[in-house]
Amino acid sequence: MNAIPVLTIEDVATLDGVLGDFLKKTEASLTVVIDRGGNVISQCGDMDVMDVTVIAALAAGSFAATRELARRIGEVEFNALYHQGNGNHMFMNSVDDETIMITVFGSRTTVGLVRFYSTATAQNVANVLKLLRRTSHGLKFDAKDITASPVFADHS
Amino acid sequence: MSIINYASREIQFKIVYYGPALCGKTTNLSYIHQRINPLNRGDLVSLATATERTLFFDFLPLNAVVIKGFVTKFQLYTVPGQVIYNATRQLVLRSVDGIVFVADSQWEKMEENVESWKNLTDNLALQNMAIDDVPCVLEYNKRDLPNVAPVNYIEYVLNNRKKRLQSFEVISSTGQNVFAALNAVSQILLHKFSKQSEAPQGAPLPVAIPVEPGTAEAQRLPA
Protein backbone atom coordinates (compact mmCIF):
# COMPACT_ATOMS: atom_id res chain seq x y z
CA MET A 1 0.00 0.00 0.00
CA ASN A 2 1.35 3.44 -0.92
CA ALA A 3 2.10 5.98 1.79
CA ILE A 4 -0.01 9.12 1.68
CA PRO A 5 2.13 12.13 0.71
CA VAL A 6 2.61 14.63 3.51
CA LEU A 7 3.45 18.29 3.12
CA THR A 8 5.73 18.98 6.08
CA ILE A 9 6.15 22.44 7.61
CA GLU A 10 9.42 22.76 5.66
CA ASP A 11 7.70 21.82 2.37
CA VAL A 12 4.95 24.36 2.98
CA ALA A 13 7.54 27.05 3.84
CA THR A 14 9.40 26.32 0.59
CA LEU A 15 6.20 26.48 -1.47
CA ASP A 16 5.12 29.66 0.34
CA GLY A 17 8.49 31.21 -0.53
CA VAL A 18 8.13 30.32 -4.22
CA LEU A 19 4.51 31.50 -4.43
CA GLY A 20 5.15 34.62 -2.31
CA ASP A 21 7.97 35.64 -4.62
CA PHE A 22 5.68 35.11 -7.62
CA LEU A 23 2.95 37.31 -6.09
CA LYS A 24 5.46 40.01 -5.25
CA LYS A 25 6.81 40.11 -8.80
CA THR A 26 3.44 40.00 -10.53
CA GLU A 27 1.33 41.97 -8.00
CA ALA A 28 -1.39 39.34 -8.38
CA SER A 29 -3.93 38.89 -5.55
CA LEU A 30 -3.86 35.17 -4.99
CA THR A 31 -2.23 32.02 -6.26
CA VAL A 32 -3.28 28.45 -5.50
CA VAL A 33 -1.60 25.16 -6.36
CA ILE A 34 -4.09 22.32 -6.77
CA ASP A 35 -4.03 18.72 -7.93
CA ARG A 36 -6.10 17.72 -10.94
CA GLY A 37 -8.67 16.11 -8.69
CA GLY A 38 -9.47 19.57 -7.27
CA ASN A 39 -7.63 19.32 -3.94
CA VAL A 40 -5.75 22.38 -2.66
CA ILE A 41 -2.03 21.70 -2.17
CA SER A 42 -0.79 25.21 -1.35
CA GLN A 43 -2.10 28.75 -1.46
CA CYS A 44 -0.67 32.22 -1.03
CA GLY A 45 -2.12 35.73 -1.08
CA ASP A 46 -5.40 37.33 -0.09
CA MET A 47 -7.56 34.37 1.02
CA ASP A 48 -10.52 36.61 1.88
CA VAL A 49 -11.18 37.27 -1.78
CA MET A 50 -12.96 33.94 -2.34
CA ASP A 51 -13.54 30.37 -1.17
CA VAL A 52 -10.35 28.67 -2.32
CA THR A 53 -11.84 25.17 -1.97
CA VAL A 54 -14.61 25.95 -4.45
CA ILE A 55 -12.22 27.73 -6.81
CA ALA A 56 -9.97 24.63 -6.79
CA ALA A 57 -12.85 22.26 -7.64
CA LEU A 58 -14.14 24.45 -10.45
CA ALA A 59 -10.69 25.22 -11.86
CA ALA A 60 -9.80 21.52 -12.01
CA GLY A 61 -13.05 20.92 -13.88
CA SER A 62 -12.46 23.81 -16.24
CA PHE A 63 -8.92 22.66 -17.01
CA ALA A 64 -10.05 19.11 -17.71
CA ALA A 65 -13.00 20.23 -19.83
CA THR A 66 -10.77 22.17 -22.22
CA ARG A 67 -8.63 19.09 -22.70
CA GLU A 68 -11.20 17.77 -25.15
CA LEU A 69 -11.07 21.07 -27.06
CA ALA A 70 -7.30 20.79 -27.21
CA ARG A 71 -7.54 17.28 -28.64
CA ARG A 72 -9.69 18.55 -31.47
CA ILE A 73 -6.80 20.68 -32.70
CA GLY A 74 -4.19 17.98 -32.18
CA GLU A 75 -2.89 19.01 -28.75
CA VAL A 76 -2.77 16.76 -25.69
CA GLU A 77 -4.03 19.65 -23.56
CA PHE A 78 -3.77 23.41 -23.27
CA ASN A 79 -0.87 24.33 -21.00
CA ALA A 80 -2.52 27.53 -19.87
CA LEU A 81 -5.99 29.06 -19.68
CA TYR A 82 -6.96 32.69 -19.21
CA HIS A 83 -10.37 33.91 -18.04
CA GLN A 84 -10.83 37.63 -18.51
CA GLY A 85 -13.29 39.55 -16.34
CA ASN A 86 -14.13 43.23 -16.09
CA GLY A 87 -11.97 43.87 -13.04
CA ASN A 88 -10.60 40.51 -11.94
CA HIS A 89 -9.06 37.82 -14.06
CA MET A 90 -7.83 34.28 -13.67
CA PHE A 91 -4.83 32.58 -15.22
CA MET A 92 -4.31 28.83 -14.91
CA ASN A 93 -1.23 26.95 -16.02
CA SER A 94 -0.10 23.37 -15.86
CA VAL A 95 2.64 22.59 -13.32
CA ASP A 96 3.06 18.88 -14.07
CA ASP A 97 0.91 15.89 -14.98
CA GLU A 98 -0.80 16.00 -11.59
CA THR A 99 -0.82 19.66 -10.69
CA ILE A 100 -2.23 23.03 -11.81
CA MET A 101 -1.44 26.55 -10.64
CA ILE A 102 -4.21 29.17 -10.49
CA THR A 103 -3.54 32.92 -10.27
CA VAL A 104 -6.20 35.54 -9.59
CA PHE A 105 -5.25 39.12 -10.40
CA GLY A 106 -6.80 42.54 -10.85
CA SER A 107 -6.00 45.79 -12.63
CA ARG A 108 -2.69 46.35 -10.85
CA THR A 109 -0.94 43.95 -13.20
CA THR A 110 -1.24 42.43 -16.67
CA VAL A 111 -1.81 38.94 -18.02
CA GLY A 112 1.56 39.17 -19.80
CA LEU A 113 3.43 39.68 -16.57
CA VAL A 114 1.53 36.88 -14.81
CA ARG A 115 2.10 34.55 -17.75
CA PHE A 116 5.81 35.44 -17.91
CA TYR A 117 6.56 34.73 -14.24
CA SER A 118 4.21 31.75 -13.97
CA THR A 119 6.43 29.59 -16.18
CA ALA A 120 9.44 29.73 -13.86
CA THR A 121 7.24 29.53 -10.76
CA ALA A 122 5.49 26.41 -12.07
CA GLN A 123 8.87 24.82 -12.67
CA ASN A 124 9.99 25.62 -9.11
CA VAL A 125 6.73 24.24 -7.68
CA ALA A 126 7.10 21.10 -9.81
CA ASN A 127 10.60 20.54 -8.42
CA VAL A 128 9.35 20.79 -4.82
CA LEU A 129 6.46 18.40 -5.49
CA LYS A 130 8.68 15.94 -7.36
CA LEU A 131 10.95 15.71 -4.35
CA LEU A 132 7.94 15.38 -2.06
CA ARG A 133 6.49 12.47 -4.06
CA ARG A 134 9.87 10.74 -4.20
CA THR A 135 10.67 11.01 -0.50
CA SER A 136 7.03 10.25 0.42
CA HIS A 137 6.98 11.00 4.15
CA GLY A 138 4.28 9.10 5.91
CA LEU A 139 2.17 10.15 8.85
CA LYS A 140 1.10 7.61 11.39
CA PHE A 141 -2.48 7.56 12.57
CA ASP A 142 -3.97 4.97 14.85
CA ALA A 143 -7.58 3.94 14.62
CA LYS A 144 -7.97 5.37 18.14
CA ASP A 145 -7.12 8.85 16.76
CA ILE A 146 -10.28 8.68 14.67
CA THR A 147 -13.58 9.64 16.21
CA ALA A 148 -15.99 6.76 16.79
CA SER A 149 -19.05 9.01 16.77
CA PRO A 150 -20.82 9.94 13.52
CA VAL A 151 -18.74 12.39 11.49
CA PHE A 152 -21.70 14.53 10.39
CA ALA A 153 -24.87 15.30 12.30
CA ASP A 154 -28.31 16.07 10.91
CA HIS A 155 -29.36 19.27 12.70
CA SER A 156 -33.09 18.52 12.68
CA MET B 1 -5.34 10.59 -3.26
CA SER B 2 -5.04 13.91 -1.52
CA ILE B 3 -2.04 15.35 0.28
CA ILE B 4 -1.87 15.82 4.03
CA ASN B 5 -0.88 19.39 4.84
CA TYR B 6 1.00 19.10 8.08
CA ALA B 7 1.58 22.86 8.39
CA SER B 8 -2.12 23.80 8.28
CA ARG B 9 -3.10 20.45 9.85
CA GLU B 10 -5.53 19.68 7.09
CA ILE B 11 -6.45 16.45 5.38
CA GLN B 12 -8.73 16.40 2.35
CA PHE B 13 -10.95 13.56 1.24
CA LYS B 14 -13.04 13.37 -1.89
CA ILE B 15 -16.37 11.53 -1.80
CA VAL B 16 -18.27 11.07 -5.06
CA TYR B 17 -22.02 10.37 -5.35
CA TYR B 18 -22.39 8.14 -8.41
CA GLY B 19 -25.45 6.62 -10.04
CA PRO B 20 -27.82 6.72 -13.03
CA ALA B 21 -29.62 9.84 -14.25
CA LEU B 22 -32.35 11.22 -11.96
CA CYS B 23 -31.57 8.77 -9.13
CA GLY B 24 -31.26 11.54 -6.50
CA LYS B 25 -27.54 12.35 -6.23
CA THR B 26 -28.06 16.11 -6.24
CA THR B 27 -30.97 15.73 -3.80
CA ASN B 28 -28.58 13.97 -1.39
CA LEU B 29 -26.17 16.90 -1.50
CA SER B 30 -28.96 19.47 -1.22
CA TYR B 31 -30.31 17.76 1.89
CA ILE B 32 -26.85 17.58 3.48
CA HIS B 33 -26.30 21.25 2.65
CA GLN B 34 -29.62 22.23 4.24
CA ARG B 35 -29.27 20.20 7.41
CA ILE B 36 -25.61 20.30 8.37
CA ASN B 37 -24.32 22.93 10.79
CA PRO B 38 -23.56 26.00 8.60
CA LEU B 39 -20.23 26.42 10.43
CA ASN B 40 -19.12 23.06 9.02
CA ARG B 41 -19.97 23.60 5.38
CA GLY B 42 -19.19 25.82 2.41
CA ASP B 43 -21.43 26.78 -0.48
CA LEU B 44 -23.18 24.15 -2.56
CA VAL B 45 -21.99 24.74 -6.11
CA SER B 46 -24.22 23.30 -8.81
CA LEU B 47 -23.37 23.34 -12.48
CA ALA B 48 -26.74 22.41 -13.92
CA THR B 49 -28.72 22.95 -17.12
CA ALA B 50 -31.81 25.18 -17.28
CA THR B 51 -33.91 22.12 -16.44
CA GLU B 52 -31.83 21.45 -13.31
CA ARG B 53 -30.10 18.38 -14.73
CA THR B 54 -26.50 18.17 -13.57
CA LEU B 55 -24.26 19.25 -16.44
CA PHE B 56 -20.82 19.09 -14.90
CA PHE B 57 -20.96 18.32 -11.18
CA ASP B 58 -22.34 19.50 -7.85
CA PHE B 59 -19.81 20.28 -5.18
CA LEU B 60 -20.18 20.69 -1.42
CA PRO B 61 -17.18 21.17 0.89
CA LEU B 62 -17.59 20.05 4.52
CA ASN B 63 -15.26 20.43 7.52
CA ALA B 64 -14.97 18.16 10.52
CA VAL B 65 -12.45 17.34 13.22
CA VAL B 66 -12.45 13.56 13.13
CA ILE B 67 -8.75 12.80 13.28
CA LYS B 68 -7.10 13.96 16.47
CA GLY B 69 -5.49 17.34 15.90
CA PHE B 70 -6.42 17.70 12.24
CA VAL B 71 -9.16 19.57 10.42
CA THR B 72 -10.58 17.11 7.93
CA LYS B 73 -12.09 18.51 4.76
CA PHE B 74 -14.58 16.30 2.95
CA GLN B 75 -15.31 17.36 -0.59
CA LEU B 76 -18.60 15.94 -1.81
CA TYR B 77 -19.15 15.71 -5.57
CA THR B 78 -21.92 14.33 -7.72
CA VAL B 79 -21.43 13.16 -11.29
CA PRO B 80 -23.82 13.86 -14.17
CA GLY B 81 -25.88 10.68 -14.52
CA GLN B 82 -26.76 10.98 -18.19
CA VAL B 83 -24.94 8.41 -20.31
CA ILE B 84 -23.39 10.95 -22.71
CA TYR B 85 -21.38 12.68 -19.97
CA ASN B 86 -18.92 9.87 -19.32
CA ALA B 87 -15.84 12.06 -19.82
CA THR B 88 -17.10 14.30 -17.02
CA ARG B 89 -17.67 11.31 -14.75
CA GLN B 90 -14.08 10.19 -15.37
CA LEU B 91 -12.85 13.67 -14.42
CA VAL B 92 -14.88 13.82 -11.21
CA LEU B 93 -13.69 10.35 -10.19
CA ARG B 94 -10.07 11.48 -10.36
CA SER B 95 -8.37 11.13 -6.93
CA VAL B 96 -11.57 9.77 -5.38
CA ASP B 97 -11.32 8.55 -1.78
CA GLY B 98 -14.87 7.27 -1.23
CA ILE B 99 -18.00 6.52 -3.26
CA VAL B 100 -21.71 6.58 -2.46
CA PHE B 101 -23.49 4.69 -5.22
CA VAL B 102 -27.10 5.90 -5.44
CA ALA B 103 -29.43 3.37 -7.03
CA ASP B 104 -33.00 4.16 -8.06
CA SER B 105 -35.24 1.53 -6.40
CA GLN B 106 -37.95 1.61 -9.07
CA TRP B 107 -38.37 -1.60 -11.06
CA GLU B 108 -37.97 0.11 -14.43
CA LYS B 109 -34.66 1.66 -13.36
CA MET B 110 -32.85 -1.59 -12.57
CA GLU B 111 -31.18 -1.82 -15.96
CA GLU B 112 -29.91 1.76 -15.64
CA ASN B 113 -28.61 0.99 -12.14
CA VAL B 114 -26.65 -1.99 -13.46
CA GLU B 115 -25.31 0.00 -16.41
CA SER B 116 -24.22 2.83 -14.12
CA TRP B 117 -22.51 0.39 -11.74
CA LYS B 118 -20.65 -1.17 -14.66
CA ASN B 119 -19.72 2.30 -15.89
CA LEU B 120 -18.35 3.09 -12.41
CA THR B 121 -16.16 -0.02 -12.34
CA ASP B 122 -14.96 0.69 -15.91
CA ASN B 123 -14.09 4.29 -15.06
CA LEU B 124 -12.26 3.23 -11.89
CA ALA B 125 -10.30 0.70 -13.95
CA LEU B 126 -9.09 3.58 -16.14
CA GLN B 127 -7.47 4.98 -12.99
CA ASN B 128 -6.04 1.55 -12.14
CA MET B 129 -8.49 1.22 -9.26
CA ALA B 130 -10.94 -1.55 -8.43
CA ILE B 131 -14.22 -1.11 -6.60
CA ASP B 132 -12.86 -3.30 -3.78
CA ASP B 133 -10.01 -0.79 -3.25
CA VAL B 134 -12.30 2.21 -2.75
CA PRO B 135 -14.51 2.70 0.33
CA CYS B 136 -18.02 2.45 -1.06
CA VAL B 137 -21.59 2.23 0.24
CA LEU B 138 -24.87 1.69 -1.61
CA GLU B 139 -28.00 3.79 -1.32
CA TYR B 140 -31.29 2.28 -2.45
CA ASN B 141 -33.13 5.53 -3.01
CA LYS B 142 -36.78 6.50 -3.51
CA ARG B 143 -38.08 3.85 -1.11
CA ASP B 144 -41.25 5.93 -0.67
CA LEU B 145 -42.43 5.33 -4.25
CA PRO B 146 -45.08 2.63 -4.90
CA ASN B 147 -43.29 0.73 -7.68
CA VAL B 148 -40.03 -0.09 -5.93
CA ALA B 149 -38.27 -3.44 -6.13
CA PRO B 150 -37.75 -5.34 -2.87
CA VAL B 151 -34.43 -4.68 -1.15
CA ASN B 152 -33.46 -8.38 -1.47
CA TYR B 153 -33.81 -8.11 -5.23
CA ILE B 154 -31.67 -4.94 -5.48
CA GLU B 155 -29.10 -6.57 -3.20
CA TYR B 156 -28.99 -9.54 -5.56
CA VAL B 157 -28.61 -7.27 -8.60
CA LEU B 158 -26.07 -4.77 -7.27
CA ASN B 159 -24.47 -6.25 -4.17
CA ASN B 160 -24.01 -9.90 -5.06
CA ARG B 161 -20.37 -10.39 -4.17
CA LYS B 162 -18.22 -12.19 -1.63
CA LYS B 163 -17.68 -9.10 0.52
CA ARG B 164 -20.95 -7.20 0.44
CA LEU B 165 -21.00 -3.43 0.64
CA GLN B 166 -22.95 -1.65 3.33
CA SER B 167 -26.32 -0.59 1.93
CA PHE B 168 -29.04 1.82 3.04
CA GLU B 169 -32.71 2.26 2.25
CA VAL B 170 -32.90 5.94 1.48
CA ILE B 171 -35.51 8.59 0.74
CA SER B 172 -33.28 11.47 -0.25
CA SER B 173 -36.17 13.92 -0.65
CA THR B 174 -36.99 13.62 3.08
CA GLY B 175 -33.42 12.86 4.16
CA GLN B 176 -34.07 9.34 5.45
CA ASN B 177 -30.68 7.63 5.88
CA VAL B 178 -28.86 10.30 3.84
CA PHE B 179 -26.57 11.12 6.77
CA ALA B 180 -26.28 7.43 7.73
CA ALA B 181 -24.82 6.63 4.29
CA LEU B 182 -22.48 9.63 4.37
CA ASN B 183 -21.26 8.75 7.87
CA ALA B 184 -20.75 5.11 6.89
CA VAL B 185 -18.56 5.91 3.88
CA SER B 186 -16.67 8.51 5.94
CA GLN B 187 -15.87 5.98 8.67
CA ILE B 188 -14.79 3.33 6.14
CA LEU B 189 -12.43 5.74 4.36
CA LEU B 190 -11.01 7.09 7.63
CA HIS B 191 -10.17 3.57 8.81
CA LYS B 192 -8.67 2.71 5.45
CA PHE B 193 -6.65 5.91 5.74
CA SER B 194 -5.37 4.95 9.22
CA LYS B 195 -4.18 1.59 7.84
CA GLN B 196 -2.63 3.25 4.82
CA SER B 197 -0.63 5.83 6.75
CA GLU B 198 2.86 4.66 7.44
CA ALA B 199 5.59 5.82 9.74
CA PRO B 200 8.21 7.90 7.92
CA GLN B 201 11.47 6.25 7.11
CA GLY B 202 14.49 8.01 8.59
CA ALA B 203 12.58 11.16 9.46
CA PRO B 204 11.25 12.07 12.90
CA LEU B 205 7.61 11.13 13.35
CA PRO B 206 5.39 14.21 13.22
CA VAL B 207 3.26 14.48 16.32
CA ALA B 208 -0.44 15.21 15.91
CA ILE B 209 -1.29 18.04 18.31
CA PRO B 210 -4.93 18.32 19.43
CA VAL B 211 -6.80 21.49 18.55
CA GLU B 212 -6.68 23.97 21.44
CA PRO B 213 -10.06 24.79 23.00
CA GLY B 214 -11.25 28.28 22.17
CA THR B 215 -9.49 28.47 18.82
CA ALA B 216 -11.34 29.04 15.58
CA GLU B 217 -10.79 25.40 14.61
CA ALA B 218 -12.23 24.12 17.88
CA GLN B 219 -15.30 26.30 17.36
CA ARG B 220 -15.91 24.55 14.05
CA LEU B 221 -16.28 21.24 15.88
CA PRO B 222 -19.73 19.74 15.61
CA ALA B 223 -21.76 20.10 18.79
Side-chain angles (χ1 to χ4, degrees):
Chain A
M1 214 177 258
N2 294 329
I4 298 163
V6 176
L7 275 174
T8 63
I9 291 170
E10 291 78 17
D11 297 327
V12 172
T14 309
L15 281 174
D16 281 352
V18 171
L19 298 181
D21 184 50
F22 170 69
L23 285 186
K24 198 172 161 188
K25 284 173 177 163
T26 58
E27 294 194 58
S29 320
L30 170 72
T31 184
V32 188
V33 176
I34 65 170
D35 72 17
R36 295 193 184 220
N39 295 307
V40 177
I41 296 173
S42 188
Q43 58 198 42
C44 190
D46 186 1
M47 306 306 167
D48 297 331
V49 177
M50 63 206 75
D51 185 338
V52 171
T53 314
V54 173
I55 290 283
L58 293 173
S62 173
F63 215 86
T66 56
R67 204 181 164 115
E68 286 303 314
L69 275 177
R71 280 186 187 153
R72 298 292 181 267
I73 59 164
E75 292 288 327
V76 175
E77 69 170 14
F78 293 123
N79 294 325
L81 296 176
Y82 172 50
H83 296 301
Q84 183 176 328
N86 288 324
N88 289 302
H89 324 285
M90 186 177 284
F91 183 78
M92 294 184 269
N93 56 312
S94 179
V95 170
D96 59 29
D97 289 344
E98 294 294 323
T99 322
I100 301 163
M101 185 176 145
I102 308 162
T103 307
V104 178
F105 60 98
S107 53
R108 294 201 311 176
T109 186
T110 63
V111 63
L113 198 64
V114 171
R115 189 195 303 266
F116 176 76
Y117 282 112
S118 69
T119 309
T121 305
Q123 188 58 54
N124 290 337
V125 170
N127 291 340
V128 174
L129 296 178
K130 196 172 164 186
L131 196 66
L132 173 81
R133 286 174 185 133
R134 207 166 44 214
T135 51
S136 186
H137 301 282
L139 192 60
K140 181 91 175 153
F141 286 104
D142 288 327
K144 66 178 180 346
D145 289 334
I146 297 170
T147 181
S149 54
V151 178
F152 301 106
D154 185 345
H155 284 250
S156 309
Chain B
M1 176 76 51
S2 58
I3 291 180
I4 303 168
N5 190 325
Y6 190 69
S8 60
R9 299 186 175 285
E10 281 180 7
I11 304 169
Q12 297 171 48
F13 294 112
K14 181 174 186 176
I15 297 174
V16 174
Y17 282 71
Y18 209 98
L22 296 171
C23 68
K25 302 175 290 292
T26 302
T27 314
N28 265 268
L29 252 63
S30 300
Y31 182 81
I32 294 165
H33 180 255
Q34 282 166 22
R35 303 304 283 256
I36 206 162
N37 185 344
L39 294 172
N40 295 114
R41 61 152 165 85
D43 294 334
L44 173 63
V45 178
S46 238
L47 302 181
T49 65
T51 51
E52 306 228 334
R53 301 289 297 274
T54 303
L55 177 64
F56 209 169
F57 54 72
D58 306 304
F59 173 71
L60 176 63
L62 304 175
N63 287 339
V65 180
V66 290
I67 299 174
K68 200 173 171 183
F70 281 78
V71 172
T72 315
K73 294 190 167 185
F74 290 86
Q75 304 189 345
L76 273 49
Y77 286 77
T78 66
V79 294
Q82 294 172 81
V83 175
I84 54 168
Y85 294 131
N86 196 39
T88 310
R89 283 193 289 278
Q90 289 170 5
L91 152 72
V92 177
L93 271 182
R94 196 165 177 152
S95 308
V96 66
D97 295 300
I99 294 168
V100 178
F101 185 85
V102 185
D104 190 323
S105 296
Q106 298 175 92
W107 277 111
E108 64 268 27
K109 297 286 184 180
M110 282 306 132
E111 196 178 338
E112 286 179 43
N113 289 331
V114 173
E115 274 173 18
S116 180
W117 178 263
K118 186 177 180 310
N119 177 255
L120 168 63
T121 55
D122 290 347
N123 284 338
L124 285 174
L126 291 175
Q127 297 192 51
N128 297 319
M129 295 168 92
I131 194 71
D132 293 337
D133 302 333
V134 187
C136 181
V137 298
L138 298 171
E139 277 191 8
Y140 304 145
N141 196 16
K142 308 191 184 182
R143 297 306 300 170
D144 55 333
L145 296 185
N147 56 336
V148 295
V151 169
N152 284 350
Y153 179 78
I154 310 178
E155 281 279 304
Y156 176 75
V157 170
L158 292 176
N159 205 9
N160 189 10
R161 58 177 64 74
K162 198 182 280 183
K163 194 179 170 189
R164 289 194 170 196
L165 301 172
Q166 216 172 330
S167 60
F168 296 86
E169 291 185 55
V170 171
I171 307 171
S172 60
S173 55
T174 62
Q176 180 183 306
N177 278 339
V178 166
F179 273 87
L182 174 61
N183 281 320
V185 76
S186 304
Q187 286 290 352
I188 298 167
L189 78 83
L190 286 167
H191 283 89
K192 184 190 175 214
F193 171 74
S194 76
K195 284 181 194 160
Q196 203 166 353
S197 63
E198 292 174 357
Q201 294 171 345
L205 186 70
V207 180
I209 300 169
V211 173
E212 292 294 327
T215 61
E217 282 169 3
Q219 284 166 7
R220 286 203 295 266
L221 275 164

